[in-house]
Amino acid sequence: MITREEFKQIAGNGIWKQNTSLVQILGLCPLLAVTTNLVNGVMLSLATIIVMALSGVAIASLRNFIPHEIRIPVFILVVAALVTVVDLLFNANLHELYLVLGIFIPLIVTNCIVLARVEAYAAKNPPLQATADGVFMGVGMLWTLGLLGGLRELIGAGTLFSGIDMVFPGLQPLQLLPKDYPGLLLAILPPGAFILLGCLIAWKNWIEARAAARQQKTPPAPVAEAGCH
Amino acid sequence: MVTVKEPTAGTMAARTAVILFVFVIVFTGLLAGAYQWTLPAIQASATEEKMKLVNEVLPTASYDNDLLHDTLALAPTPELGLEEPSTVFRARMGGAPAALVLEAVAPDGYAGKIRLILAVQADGRVAGVRVTQHKETPGLGDYVEPKKDRNKERPWITQFNGLSLATLAEKEWKVKKDGGHFDSNAGATVTPRAVVKAVKKAVAYVDAHRDELFAAADKNAADRK
């Protein structure tokens, strides 16, 4: 079973403390390629959440059968097989959704975050915890990629939610900047992704540095907070 | 540390190999099973999508035959940019040739090949063009795909509709930036340039080979009667 504390810790790690994109800086290849707009970033993250939850539960269930020496090839085998099966099942049974998510599912194969979490977490923890870890790592990725995609789209093209009509037919993208906004090509191209990602990392570090500084000023709280990490 | 009798390197290797082998068998089996199980559904939706694409480039009112079953196998055709065999769908109205629906490839996109499907009417006019596959930069060069085009009223790709080599001189089949007829978005001219070139070549190919392509169609019709 999973305790409340464990759950909180897993969620906190995934969403903020060990954020895949901002702290672990993993999975940059799909991040750069896909976050040209908000909808794409969110869609890739949703596909990743599905695959990470599945690979987490699969590896955690099998962890006692996998010899330590060959764990990496086995992980790769399991993750690649799962991604392919998910891809096929989506294509066959949820075709409408596949048309939207489909191009992102094979991209997950290039995302080392799946393998990294399997190696760092699922291989050492029970299935329930591993599933939660996969989901929350994905949620951390979701808000980061959504934010990055949204920023790139807004700066690059002046719109938000372009492509939303493919997910929810009838909805229209928002034109936030004036129609004659010329667009900033740099933001759409990969260097723009690097620059903005750098800004986001700096922003996160700034928040944490400020929180740490504030904690130092006030007398340190009793050891009650210890136990994390 | 408790001393356990260490297995020899040989038995260790053999055991690991067996375990890895079992994993490979199980997961390959899983893959094969999933593939077999989903194959019919995937093929059905592929056919459906093909028909949807054909309907997008060619109005259903302009033909009355079952064009998915009135096809011509085309050998690899460099004029169309095709390195592999393709299928030409033949649309007929009351038995008379109406239009040809064919595939073409623009080999010189910004990020590799751009695959197209287009319908050319019997009078040489383009009925419609659609991009079926491409790897152009999302948000930049992908406006050749009407779904991604921000101009919803008159998507970029519809510029070809109604044009033929007779109504638009061959040297006009270029983007405006190169002194031609076709619009393009600022910052992304490589993609439309490649598409325009491929469509021009495909229209010229149909103009040059119209008789053979239609003759084959006519012969088929005769066979059926």
Side-chain angles (χ1 to χ4, degrees), chain A residues 93-198:
Chain A
N93 300 322
L94 299 163
H95 196 73
E96 293 301 306
L97 193 59
Y98 180 78
L99 293 179
V100 182
L101 276 182
I103 50 163
F104 300 114
I105 295 174
L107 266 181
I108 298 170
V109 177
T110 64
N111 197 339
C112 50
I113 189 65
V114 181
L115 196 62
R117 285 326 286 174
V118 158
E119 158 79 355
Y121 196 91
K124 298 165 191 145
N125 291 282
L128 208 57
Q129 277 83 340
T131 313
D133 181 74
V135 169
F136 280 106
M137 283 292 155
V139 172
M141 189 173 154
L142 180 89
W143 76 258
T144 320
L145 261 61
L147 185 61
L148 190 61
L151 283 174
R152 287 179 74 185
E153 187 183 352
L154 188 62
I155 299 171
T159 60
L160 218 48
F161 296 106
S162 71
I164 189 80
D165 46 319
M166 279 168 61
V167 191
F168 301 107
L171 290 185
Q172 283 302 312
L174 297 174
Q175 182 78 35
L176 288 185
L177 296 181
K179 258 238 145 65
D180 53 354
Y181 176 66
L184 183 67
L185 200 55
L186 177 68
I188 302 277
L189 295 174
F194 274 123
I195 295 168
L196 280 169
L197 180 67

Side-chain angles (χ1 to χ4, degrees), chain A residues 2-120:
Chain A
I2 188 163
T3 64
R4 214 190 161 85
E5 271 64 46
E6 260 182 320
F7 187 78
K8 260 184 169 164
Q9 196 191 330
I10 291 172
N13 273 338
I15 294 172
W16 184 261
K17 262 186 249 160
Q18 291 293 324
N19 186 291
T20 56
S21 313
L22 298 181
V23 180
Q24 304 184 55
I25 325 276
L26 285 174
L28 289 193
C29 166
L31 180 144
L32 296 176
V34 162
T35 58
T36 49
N37 65 45
L38 193 151
V39 171
N40 280 358
V42 169
M43 286 298 149
L44 173 71
S45 308
L46 288 180
T48 311
I49 290 177
I50 297 169
V51 170
M52 285 187 66
L54 284 176
S55 59
V57 74
I59 295 290
S61 317
L62 294 170
R63 68 187 191 282
N64 295 330
F65 304 102
I66 303 173
H68 188 70
E69 295 78 16
I70 52 160
R71 65 190 192 288
I72 300 293
V74 172
F75 294 163
I76 293 175
L77 178 71
V78 172
V79 171
L82 277 176
V83 172
T84 314
V85 170
V86 167
D87 186 62
L88 287 171
L89 287 179
F90 260 96
N91 193 350
N93 300 322
L94 299 163
H95 196 73
E96 293 301 306
L97 193 59
Y98 180 78
L99 293 179
V100 182
L101 276 182
I103 50 163
F104 300 114
I105 295 174
L107 266 181
I108 298 170
V109 177
T110 64
N111 197 339
C112 50
I113 189 65
V114 181
L115 196 62
R117 285 326 286 174
V118 158
E119 158 79 355

Side-chain angles (χ1 to χ4, degrees), chain B residues 191-205:
Chain B
T191 312
R193 189 181 286 150
V195 174
V196 170
K197 206 165 117 193
V199 173
K200 179 183 82 177
K201 280 164 79 178
V203 172
Y205 172 82

Side-chain angles (χ1 to χ4, degrees), chain B residues 37-59:
Chain B
W37 188 60
T38 53
L39 191 61
I42 291 174
Q43 275 176 345
S45 44
T47 316
E48 192 183 312
E49 241 155 65
K50 201 173 246 176
M51 199 59 229
K52 219 153 72 184
L53 263 179
V54 168
N55 287 343
E56 268 186 50
V57 292
L58 189 64

Side-chain angles (χ1 to χ4, degrees), chain B residues 35-217:
Chain B
Y35 177 78
Q36 285 299 334
W37 188 60
T38 53
L39 191 61
I42 291 174
Q43 275 176 345
S45 44
T47 316
E48 192 183 312
E49 241 155 65
K50 201 173 246 176
M51 199 59 229
K52 219 153 72 184
L53 263 179
V54 168
N55 287 343
E56 268 186 50
V57 292
L58 189 64
T60 31
S62 65
Y63 62 95
D64 59 5
N65 63 329
D66 176 11
L67 103 181
L68 277 194
H69 293 107
D70 190 358
T71 59
L72 181 71
L74 205 61
T77 317
E79 293 98 314
L80 297 173
L82 292 167
E83 287 162 1
E84 63 281 322
S86 69
T87 308
V88 177
F89 300 106
R90 295 169 299 193
R92 288 176 292 121
M93 186 70 165
L100 293 168
V101 179
L102 65 164
E103 287 178 70
V105 168
D108 43 4
Y110 187 73
K113 292 180 176 178
I114 305 172
R115 303 193 69 93
L116 306 164
I117 185 167
L118 71 160
V120 184
Q121 292 166 0
D123 60 359
R125 285 170 182 272
V126 176
V129 185
R130 284 294 178 273
V131 171
T132 52
Q133 228 180 60
H134 72 88
K135 291 187 262 186
E136 301 304 292
T137 319
L140 191 60
D142 61 355
Y143 63 87
V144 294
E145 208 183 319
K147 256 196 260 173
K148 305 276 176 67
D149 200 332
R150 265 183 277 151
N151 184 351
K152 295 287 174 206
E153 278 158 40
R154 202 173 165 280
W156 183 85
I157 200 90
T158 58
Q159 286 184 84
F160 293 104
N161 296 2
L163 295 180
S164 71
L165 283 175
T167 57
L168 186 68
E170 194 173 338
K171 64 174 171 42
E172 288 285 307
W173 286 73
K174 285 177 188 159
V175 290
K176 279 197 177 129
K177 210 178 166 188
D178 300 341
H181 169 80
F182 296 92
D183 289 322
S184 62
N185 284 6
T189 21
V190 177
T191 312
R193 189 181 286 150
V195 174
V196 170
K197 206 165 117 193
V199 173
K200 179 183 82 177
K201 280 164 79 178
V203 172
Y205 172 82
V206 172
D207 275 355
H209 297 84
R210 180 176 296 118
D211 289 342
E212 328 163 16
L213 293 169
F214 278 143

